[in-house]
């Protein structure tokens, strides 16, 4: 029996996704479906378009042509359903310099009207190993701790699709294993996961399949 029934609406559907910069073709007609409970890894060399594809899904970069659908509807960042479906960990995540770790997470959880926000924030702080740093400002965190804060920020909000750009970056070995287990839990709870990675270990731990992108032509 095919793994994906033809009438299932994927959380994410890309059709003919193309992105050019002048003569350079970065993405050339990418087709991809990601179902609930499924994780797809974007792999490929530096410059192959992994972040570009994620930005097109996020809506921060406009494809040259092609379509992006979430839950069968065209992507529209003004649609609150879309905004509440997407949790994102990108490369260049910024934090407010004057809000502590716990204040960031509280703010996000409350902005997304999460029930039992205090309990969830405490739980996520423990999961990412930032309990001792909860009162620190982002500028005082190590690079790995900042990455953990970015991951925590995605875990304290509602989501149906988790987009991650090289989430393994700056994590130690134990952190990588934790991340693999945590993303597997996301899948088991029915979330879809799309992540770019240069870590064969993370791909092995999490991905149901990989989409390998090539060098831009
Ligand atoms: N504004 C731009 N003008 C020209 N080329 C661009 C522009 N933005 C991105 N590119 C090119 O698009 C290509 C894809 O970049 P992208 O960041 O998506 O790659 P990546 O697969 O995420 O790479 P990495 O593994 O290094 O993170 C690169 O060759 C990059 O130089």
């Amino acid at each position: 029996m095919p793994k994906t029934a033809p009438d299932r609406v994927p959380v994410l559907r890309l059709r003919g996704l193309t992105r050019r910069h002048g003569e350079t073709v970065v993405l050339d007609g990418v087709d991809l479906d990601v179902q609930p409970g499924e994780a797809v890894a974007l792999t490929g060399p530096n410059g192959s378009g992994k972040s570009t594809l994620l930005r097109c899904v996020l809506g921060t970069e406009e494809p040259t042509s092609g379509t992006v659908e979430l839950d069968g509807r065209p992507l529209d960042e003004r649609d609150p359903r879309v905004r509440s479906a997407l949790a994102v960990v990108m490369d260049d995540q910024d934090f407010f310099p004057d809000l502590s770790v716990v204040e960031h997470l509280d703010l996000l959880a409350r902005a997304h009207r999460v029930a039992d926000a205090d309990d969830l924030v405490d739980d996520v702080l423990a999961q990412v190993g930032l309990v001792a740093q909860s009162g620190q400002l982002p500028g005082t965190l190590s690079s790995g701790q900042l990455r953990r804060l970015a991951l925590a920020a995605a875990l304290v909000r509602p989501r149906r699709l988790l987009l991650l750009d090289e989430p393994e970056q700056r994590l130690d070995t134990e952190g990588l294993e934790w991340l693999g287990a945590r993303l597997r839990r996301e899948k088991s709870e029915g979330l879809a996961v799309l992540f770019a990675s240069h870590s064969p270990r993370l791909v092995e731990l999490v991905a149901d399949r990989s989409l390998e992108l090539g060098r831009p032509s």
Side-chain angles (χ1 to χ4, degrees):
M1 196 171 133
K3 193 174 172 201
T4 304
D7 56 351
R8 267 175 86 189
V9 177
V11 178
L12 176 68
R13 170 165 284 173
L14 308 180
R15 285 295 177 269
L17 193 73
T18 298
R19 180 67 167 123
R20 290 193 204 96
H21 291 289
E23 297 292 295
T24 308
V25 181
V26 178
L27 298 172
D28 190 10
V30 174
D31 293 334
L32 177 68
D33 286 356
V34 189
Q35 299 289 348
E38 187 179 41
V40 176
L42 299 172
T43 61
N46 292 139
S48 56
K50 303 179 295 297
S51 302
T52 302
L53 190 150
L54 290 173
R55 285 195 295 268
C56 288
V57 174
L58 186 55
T60 54
E61 184 157 341
E62 189 79 20
T64 307
S65 61
T67 57
V68 179
E69 286 181 5
L70 284 170
D71 291 325
R73 294 150 51 107
L75 183 73
D76 180 346
E77 65 180 16
R78 291 164 300 185
D79 183 338
R81 269 183 33 142
V82 168
R83 284 192 287 119
S84 68
L86 279 178
V88 181
V89 179
M90 294 299 277
D91 244 356
D92 50 357
Q93 207 118 336
D94 278 334
F95 297 101
F96 297 108
D98 58 343
L99 290 188
S100 70
V101 166
V102 70
E103 285 166 349
H104 272 94
L105 300 180
D106 272 339
L107 184 72
L108 277 165
R110 288 178 206 289
H112 288 284
R113 297 182 180 79
V114 168
D116 303 323
D118 289 344
D119 290 346
L120 178 65
V121 167
D122 286 348
D123 182 31
V124 168
L125 275 173
Q127 286 181 46
V128 300
L130 288 180
V131 173
Q133 291 77 27
S134 66
Q136 287 181 221
L137 299 177
T140 69
L141 297 175
S142 76
S143 60
Q145 289 168 341
L146 271 175
R147 197 60 171 170
R148 287 165 184 264
L149 176 57
L151 290 162
L155 299 177
V156 295
R157 46 154 304 158
R159 56 200 177 278
R160 305 222 329 102
L161 172 64
L162 193 48
L163 296 177
L164 308 128
D165 197 357
E166 298 177 31
E168 72 273 10
Q169 272 188 70
R170 297 184 291 277
L171 292 183
D172 55 27
T173 313
E174 195 184 315
L176 182 70
E177 295 295 316
W178 168 80
L179 178 63
R182 190 63 186 75
L183 294 180
R184 283 206 306 273
R185 181 173 142 197
E186 293 283 297
K187 290 199 304 176
S188 72
E189 291 172 356
L191 270 97
V193 180
L194 179 62
F195 69 108
S197 183
H198 288 292
S199 164
R201 177 66 181 152
L202 189 65
V203 172
E204 177 198 352
L205 284 171
V206 178
D208 296 289
R209 57 204 164 85
S210 296
L211 175 65
E212 179 158 10
L213 300 175
R215 286 184 195 285
S217 55

